[in-house]
Structure formats: C-alpha cells, structure tokens
Amino acid sequence: MIAAFDIPVTKVDRSRLSDTPLENLPFGRYFTDHMLEAEYADGEWKSVQIRPYQALSLEPSLAALHYGQAIFEGIKAYRDAEGNAFIFRPFDNFRRFNTSAARMNMPEVPEEIFMEGMRKLIALDKNWIPAIKDHSLYIRPFMFATDSMLGVRPSATYKFLIILSPTGPYFAAPMKILVEEHYTRAAPGGVGFAKNAGNYGGSMLAVTEAQKQGYDQVLWTDAFEHKWLQEVGMMNVFFIINGVAVTPSLEEGTILHGVTRDSVMVVLKEMGLPVEERRINIDELLAAYGKGQLQEVFGTGTAAVIAMVKELKYKEFQMTFNVDNSPIAKAVKERLNAIREGKAEDLHQWMWKV
Ligand SMILES: *Cc1c(COP(=O)(O)O)cnc(C)c1O
C-alpha cells in the first residue's frame, strides 16, 4: 500500500515558472516542473515517484506503439482568491480511468497512486495554476503498455504518469458540424466508452475530411444506420428541444461518460429544465427543427466546458442556430464556471481541495 507521504520527490534545481508567463497560454503546450511516474510489473505497481518533467527513454518495440494499449484522462484544477488549489470532480475521472483500463485489458491504478499522487504533484506545482479568470491547470493522467515485444498479447508491464499543463481560456468558437454518415467512431461491444488513445486516432480522418468541406467537426452517428446520434467530435452533445434537454444515453457503450455531461445534467435540472437521457436520431432532430422547436445544440467536455453549434448539416438539410441567443447553454456555462472558480456554492462537493 502506497501512501502519498511515501512517494519520493526529486525536485527541479530551478523552476521554469518564472520563464513561463501564464496568461493566455495555448492548450496543452507548456508543462509544469514535475511529473508523477509509476511502473507496473510482476502484478503490482511500484517505483512511484515525482521527478522533474523530462523525456522518457523507450524501446522501439514498445507494445503501446504497436498494439495501442494506451488510455488517458483530462481533469482541471483551479486556484481560488485565497490561493487554495481545487480539482474538479477528480474521483469521477479516477473511476472512469479504471473503467477504461479494464476494457483495454490493462491493470487498474490504485486510488493511493492516482488520487494521492495527483494531490501531491499539484501541491508541489501549485504556483503553476494560473490565478486568472478562465485559466486553469489541465491534468493529464495516462497509462500505456511497456513490454518490449512484437507478439500480440496484453502487455505484462505498464507505465502510469501524470503531467500538468497550465492553460488559458479555451475559446470554443461556435462550430459548424457535419453529421457523419460514412465513418464510425464507436459500435456496441467496442471501445467507445473508454478513453483510449485509439479512439482519437480513428477519428482524425473523418474530422479532416469534414474540415475540407468547411466544417469544424462531425456529429458521430451509430454504426448501422448512421442515424442515431452519439457525440459531437470529442465532446458529449446536448439538444434543447422545446424546453427539454436531450442527450444520448450511455447504455450501448458507444458514448464516453463525460464528467462535464454529468455536471451539465445536474445544473440543467437545478435550473428547472427537464433532462432526458435517451436514444435520439437525426429524423427527430430535423422534425423538431422544422417545427421551430430545436432551440440550442452544444457540446460538453473538460477542455471547452461548453461549445455551441451554429450549424448542423445532414444530407441536403442545413440547420442553423443563433448562438448569440442561447440562454440555456450560457446559463449552464456561467454556473459551472462559477462553481469551479469558487464564486458559487459547491452544492455537490465537486471541488476537491488539494
Ligand atoms: C473526454 C471525452 C469527452 C468529455 O468528457 P469530460 O469528462 O466531460 O471531459 C467526451 N467525449 C469523448 C470521446 C471524450 O474522449
């Protein structure tokens, strides 16, 4: 059993923080002074340590590079006016990480390493959390297979790391979305509900082709009919139809169980809006649009929180939305940001103090 106080720390000789202005940093390009690293071998996690952020030395035969056992998480930390660091709903990400691990036939990471390791790492690099409006520290835990072998079998060894990236406001420009009718992101029985690296690799061509046609992202549909709606890009999707919030349900295992999705549902209910988690297809959307009942469409995720959709294209049908008049998305975003920045009461204990 590893306790946080047992995790050895090697500190940098000199922090890079003073060379890194934290204002308006682009997403995911700068990293803090330290990282957490742990090794899995002989059926157990060992060598947990925090050390200076640095390159890894890996063999070309590294199993993760060939056969894709690689998973990750995305979490955000904030600093309040008193300088205290808080992490938004990290236990949900911890649980989801181990759900992803189980699906990819990888070992689970114990809570002491994931949660206490994260706490200790963030406490150490706390000054890297920008205390600026709309800024945060993005936390990236990840795990990958490290056996050096080309035989196809689950790796016997793994590495788990946490790296931290200070990030500025993630301006989510309103998106033009193409309803995807050819490519598939996830099918029942597949890995769509896991946050594994391959889901992203498999999505990129569809997005690039949509971009060539002038769209920003795709709205993923089911593998069989290309009608049932799943996610918008790498975000969960919400439709406000005639005063009801509808989001695709999770039971088929084709949709990532977003922490933001869950938070948005809670906030919507608190605002008095009925929320429905259910299957929804493009025909229903077109019909609602035709009747003037499709009020707002938006994506949800940790990076952008909420990203509005300004246009949806399906076959010859084009649906457009006035994003400047999106009172529900706007209210949800403001409420979530207020909770994260310590300006609204945290009714659900979402903020975890470091
Ligand atoms: C990470 C992710 C999301 C958003 O999840 P959050 O927990 O809200 O950040 C949605 N869809 C996909 C495919 C994702 O990988």
Side-chain angles (χ1 to χ4, degrees):
M1 187 88 154
I2 294 147
F5 54 81
D6 290 334
I7 300 175
V9 177
T10 310
K11 288 192 188 170
V12 291
D13 295 331
R14 185 184 160 272
S15 172
R16 285 178 281 105
L17 181 56
S18 56
D19 316 331
T20 317
L22 295 182
E23 202 145 3
N24 290 318
L25 288 181
F27 178 75
R29 240 183 295 147
Y30 295 87
F31 298 95
T32 66
D33 287 324
H34 301 95
M35 65 186 190
L36 178 119
E37 198 174 339
E39 317 275 347
Y40 182 88
D42 307 319
E44 60 175 339
W45 286 99
K46 48 184 104 177
S47 319
V48 189
Q49 59 164 325
I50 289 172
R51 58 181 184 132
Y53 180 90
Q54 59 193 267
L56 303 173
S57 171
L58 302 166
E59 293 210 26
S61 57
L62 187 87
L65 296 177
H66 299 270
Y67 306 125
Q69 277 183 296
I71 62 170
F72 65 96
E73 271 302 328
I75 311 171
K76 275 183 176 176
Y78 301 82
R79 198 140 60 115
D80 72 6
E82 284 79 53
N84 302 304
F86 290 88
I87 310 178
F88 186 75
R89 300 190 68 173
F91 277 95
D92 296 82
N93 296 89
F94 164 63
R95 280 190 288 269
R96 186 171 72 190
F97 189 77
N98 280 336
T99 301
S100 300
R103 178 62 185 87
M104 299 303 287
N105 208 345
M106 300 165 82
E108 294 193 356
V109 174
E111 185 173 326
E112 301 80 50
I113 298 178
F114 192 106
M115 295 301 295
E116 291 309 315
M118 180 163 69
R119 187 204 287 274
K120 191 162 183 171
L121 178 64
I122 289 184
L124 184 63
D125 282 346
K126 193 172 102 171
N127 291 340
W128 285 84
I129 308 177
I132 311 169
K133 189 177 160 36
D134 293 335
H135 288 56
S136 59
L137 185 72
Y138 184 80
I139 307 167
R140 170 53 61 89
F142 60 109
M143 172 173 33
F144 57 92
T146 54
D147 276 8
S148 289
M149 57 98 195
L150 297 181
V152 183
R153 57 163 171 78
S155 181
T157 62
Y158 296 85
K159 246 189 212 299
F160 171 70
L161 290 100
I162 304 177
I163 56 175
L164 307 174
S165 177
T167 174
Y170 188 104
F171 175 66
M175 302 180 292
K176 283 177 72 177
I177 302 291
L178 188 62
V179 179
E180 181 60 59
E181 288 190 87
H182 176 66
Y183 296 111
T184 299
R185 190 192 87 89
V191 293
F193 66 90
K195 214 166 171 80
N196 67 310
N199 281 345
Y200 284 71
S203 300
M204 288 183 188
L205 181 62
V207 178
T208 300
E209 289 187 4
Q211 285 170 349
K212 280 186 194 148
Q213 297 178 55
Y215 297 89
D216 300 300
Q217 263 296 352
V218 302
L219 178 56
W220 294 104
T221 54
D222 71 287
F224 306 108
E225 301 174 76
H226 284 299
K227 271 188 173 287
W228 297 93
L229 309 173
Q230 296 181 339
E231 300 197 56
V232 58
M234 295 298 152
M235 285 187 273
N236 294 117
V237 66
F238 283 79
F239 307 100
I240 310 295
I241 304 173
N242 208 15
V244 177
V246 181
T247 192
S249 44
L250 306 172
E251 71 272 356
E252 290 177 332
T254 52
I255 289 167
L256 205 281
H257 187 166
V259 178
T260 317
R261 172 186 182 276
D262 192 73
S263 310
V264 166
M265 287 198 293
V266 169
V267 168
L268 284 169
K269 286 176 196 162
E270 285 172 353
M271 286 164 41
L273 220 72
V275 178
E276 294 178 1
E277 276 184 275
R278 61 172 170 85
R279 277 160 57 86
I280 176 165
N281 67 28
I282 188 70
D283 297 329
E284 178 183 345
L285 220 54
L286 285 168
Y289 183 82
K291 286 186 269 180
Q293 294 180 341
L294 184 54
Q295 299 161 275
E296 299 179 30
V297 179
F298 55 89
T300 68
T302 294
V305 186
I306 293 206
M308 295 304 303
V309 172
K310 66 176 178 188
E311 186 184 324
L312 263 180
K313 177 91 182 329
Y314 173 71
K315 297 192 194 293
E316 71 275 24
F317 305 106
Q318 190 188 27
M319 297 179 256
T320 56
F321 306 94
N322 179 4
V323 294
D324 296 326
N325 182 21
S326 308
I328 294 166
K330 194 161 167 261
V332 171
K333 185 168 189 169
E334 276 169 14
R335 173 104 192 121
L336 276 179
N337 281 339
I339 295 170
R340 287 164 184 244
E341 290 171 8
K343 290 170 193 145
E345 198 187 342
D346 178 17
L347 297 169
H348 309 282
Q349 285 81 50
W350 282 342
M351 303 307 289
W352 191 66
K353 194 165 181 207
V354 172

